[in-house]
């Protein structure tokens, strides 16, 4: 492996950047594109597929193999100021003292997102020849902002890429890593892709089967997207452009699938895997976000990234004993809830909703006869399936109190989402209707199944919140949350409707608090 290693690392990073640039224009599309080579347009914009790996390279240079969950969590807090989806949830948890691995589990609707699988190459390249080590550090990384399949996804890719450094056989490397995965949603999906390939199904038919079988409401779902990556690598036959086009033309998280497939081919076959005309289109300077550029010592060119990856590979001593495989975090039940909210949940058929809203507005209290309908939720996501009727409407009431004295009223965004149509009122004023019936995605930058919009709120305000959910059937999830213009979760919003405790509780837990300490990267 040694004589080819430099070429493979260079191919890895170039393939990563080029694949991501090709796929970026189609990121998130709900249809299947029909991109052809002559129509490729390279998007020269920052991409989290690579950016966070630059941070982890610096972390390895500082900590070496002593890098652990606590260090990764502290680095996130100091150097990654904002994020979306699972990144935003992780940052919210970290700022509250909830450190990995619980930070990737607690209140994380996007625990199975693609955000960790796209960060696997740094571990595979640095620990080439030791898939156990690559998988272990990938699991530490992924656990900051993922859980379960979301962590398995990065572990799997890191191990498969490790095997690719040695085997120069993409199908063989993928299968070898798959054999190490336990039974889970990801392993079942990947086995099905291999089954279709081994059965000789042609690419067009396989594409249709995979689209029908694994298409997911969340376009960043790691299982759906790694099935696409595997499909592209198997049917691509080692041809770089064909492989990238197969990935992009499946749609969904196209920048991630194309970048991952491109890196895999670069690892397997070296820089020559990428046609010369496309190699020449990628400049040496890396395009990164301002917050990444400001981190001391971050590599800013492909050549520097390659050289420093090589140096880490040569310099980090590894124990002979194998590193352990990932085990999903399990709460120990010692949670102190940070998100407890109380709502009055009633079916439309059970009472006069208009009269109830008037009573709540006038008294500020739940009527005594409806106290049994008070429900306490202990997280960002409210599971309303136990209260859903077969097609009936459901109403939720609570009083919102703004308790954050440092709040900028003009920088408050309200996000409300549900698995069904919904209407939201505040103090009797309708804020919006939404009837799409799409599965909710409670994110401040893509609030599918609802809306996210600026809604100024001031410290000390108290408002009556009323949510109507339409034609309720199981499953039924709903969120009502607050963020900033930077898409960060905001603190200091209490939702309560009664002082007495509710007999209905839904609680989860974590016992993972770590005191944050100052951390710096030396220049």
């Amino acid at each position: 492996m040694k004589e080819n290693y430099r070429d493979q690392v260079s191919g890895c990073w170039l393939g990563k950047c080029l694949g991501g640039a090709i796929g970026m224009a189609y990121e998130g599309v709900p249809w299947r594109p029909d991109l052809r080579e002559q129509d490729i347009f390279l998007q020269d914009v920052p991409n989290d597929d690579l950016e966070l790996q630059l941070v982890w390279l610096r972390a390895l240079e500082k900590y070496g193999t002593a890098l652990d969950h606590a260090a990764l969590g502290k680095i996130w807090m100091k150097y990654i100021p904002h994020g979306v989806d699972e990144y935003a949830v992780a940052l919210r948890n970290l700022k509250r003292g909830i450190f990995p691995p619980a930070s990737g589990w607690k209140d994380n609707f996007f625990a199975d997102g693609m955000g960790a699988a796209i960060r696997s190459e740094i571990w595979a390249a640095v620990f080439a020849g030791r898939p156990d080590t690559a998988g272990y550090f990938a699991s530490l990384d992924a656990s900051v902002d993922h859980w379960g399949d979301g962590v398995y996804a990065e572990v799997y890719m890191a191990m498969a890429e490790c095997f690719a450094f040695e085997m120069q056989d993409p199908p063989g490397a993928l299968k070898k890593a798959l054999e190490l995965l336990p039974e889970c949603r990801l392993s079942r999906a990947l086995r099905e892709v291999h089954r279709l390939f081994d059965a000789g199904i042609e690419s067009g038919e396989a594409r249709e089967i995979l689209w029908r079988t694994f298409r997911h409401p969340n376009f960043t779902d790691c299982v759906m997207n790694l099935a696409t990556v595997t499909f592209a690598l198997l049917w691509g036959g080692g041809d770089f452009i064909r492989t990238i086009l197969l990935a992009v033309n499946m749609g969904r998280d196209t920048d991630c699938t194309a970048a991952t497939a491109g890196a895999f081919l670069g690892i397997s076959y070296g820089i020559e895997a990428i046609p010369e005309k496309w190699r020449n289109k990628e400049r040496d300077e890396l395009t990164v976000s301002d917050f990444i550029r400001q981190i001391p010592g971050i590599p800013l060119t492909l050549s520097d990234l390659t050289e420093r990856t090589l140096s880490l590979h040569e310099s980090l001593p590894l124990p002979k004993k194998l590193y352990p495989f990932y085990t999903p975090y399990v709460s120990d039940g010692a949670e102190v809830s940070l998100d407890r909210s109380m709502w009055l949940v009633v079916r439309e058929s059970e009472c006069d909703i208009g009269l109830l809203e008037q009573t709540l507005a006038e008294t500020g209290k739940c009527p005594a006869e409806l106290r049994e309908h008070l429900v306490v939720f202990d997280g960002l996501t409210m599971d309303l399936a136990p209260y859903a009727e077969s097609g009936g409407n459901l109403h939720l009431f609570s009083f919102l109190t703004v308790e954050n004295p440092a709040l900028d009223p003009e920088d408050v965004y309200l996000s409300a989402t549900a698995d069904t149509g919904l209407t939201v009122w505040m103090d009797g004023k309708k804020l919006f209707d939404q009837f799409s019936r799409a599965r909710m995605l409670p994110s401040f930058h893509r609030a599918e199944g609802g809306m996210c919009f600026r809604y100024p709120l001031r410290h000390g305000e108290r408002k009556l919140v009323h949510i109507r959910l339409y034609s309720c059937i199981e499953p039924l999830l709903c969120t009502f949350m607050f963020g900033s213009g930077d898409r960060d979760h905001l603190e200091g919003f209490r939702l309560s409707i009664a002082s007495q405790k509710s007999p209905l509780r839904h609680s989860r837990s974590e016992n993972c608090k770590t005191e944050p300490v100052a951390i710096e990267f030396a220049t």
Side-chain angles (χ1 to χ4, degrees), residues 25 117 252 365 369 428 461 504:
R252 310 310 277 162
K365 297 179 180 179
E369 66 271 19
E461 286 189 312
L504 299 174

Side-chain angles (χ1 to χ4, degrees), residues 459-477:
H459 176 234
E461 286 189 312
R462 187 171 188 261
K463 294 177 176 288
L464 175 61
V465 180
H466 175 194
I467 302 174
R468 176 169 61 189
L469 304 178
Y470 294 91
S471 305
C472 296
I473 56 175
E474 298 183 40
L476 183 61
L477 302 177

Side-chain angles (χ1 to χ4, degrees), residues 486-503:
D486 288 323
R487 302 164 181 168
D488 298 319
H489 290 269
L490 288 177
E491 302 284 1
F493 297 88
R494 181 165 59 90
L495 288 156
S496 181
I497 194 169
S499 59
Q500 74 271 24
K501 293 182 179 180
S502 167

Side-chain angles (χ1 to χ4, degrees), residues 335-384:
E335 178 192 28
V336 176
S337 176
L338 298 173
D339 298 294
R340 181 158 292 168
S341 63
M342 180 179 284
W343 294 79
L344 175 61
V345 181
V346 295
R347 298 183 178 94
E348 192 166 279
S349 59
E350 292 175 328
C351 64
D352 184 326
I353 300 299
L355 179 59
L356 172 58
E357 183 166 16
Q358 181 181 343
T359 301
L360 291 169
E362 291 175 352
T363 67
K365 297 179 180 179
C366 170
E369 66 271 19
L370 293 178
R371 286 179 182 174
E372 65 186 42
H373 293 273
L374 292 173
V375 183
V376 173
F377 298 96
D378 278 343
L380 284 173
T381 301
M382 297 181 282
D383 184 358
L384 293 163

Side-chain angles (χ1 to χ4, degrees), residues 49 86-87 110-119 146 150 153 157 218-226 229 253 256-257 260:
D49 292 51
E86 58 262 50
Y87 298 171
F110 299 97
D112 289 350
M114 191 67 175
I118 59 176
R119 309 195 297 254
H146 293 79
M157 286 309 308
N218 176 16
F219 82 82
T220 69
D221 177 67
C222 68
V223 174
M224 170 183 64
N225 286 296
L226 286 190
V229 170
D253 204 352
C256 292
T257 56
T260 302

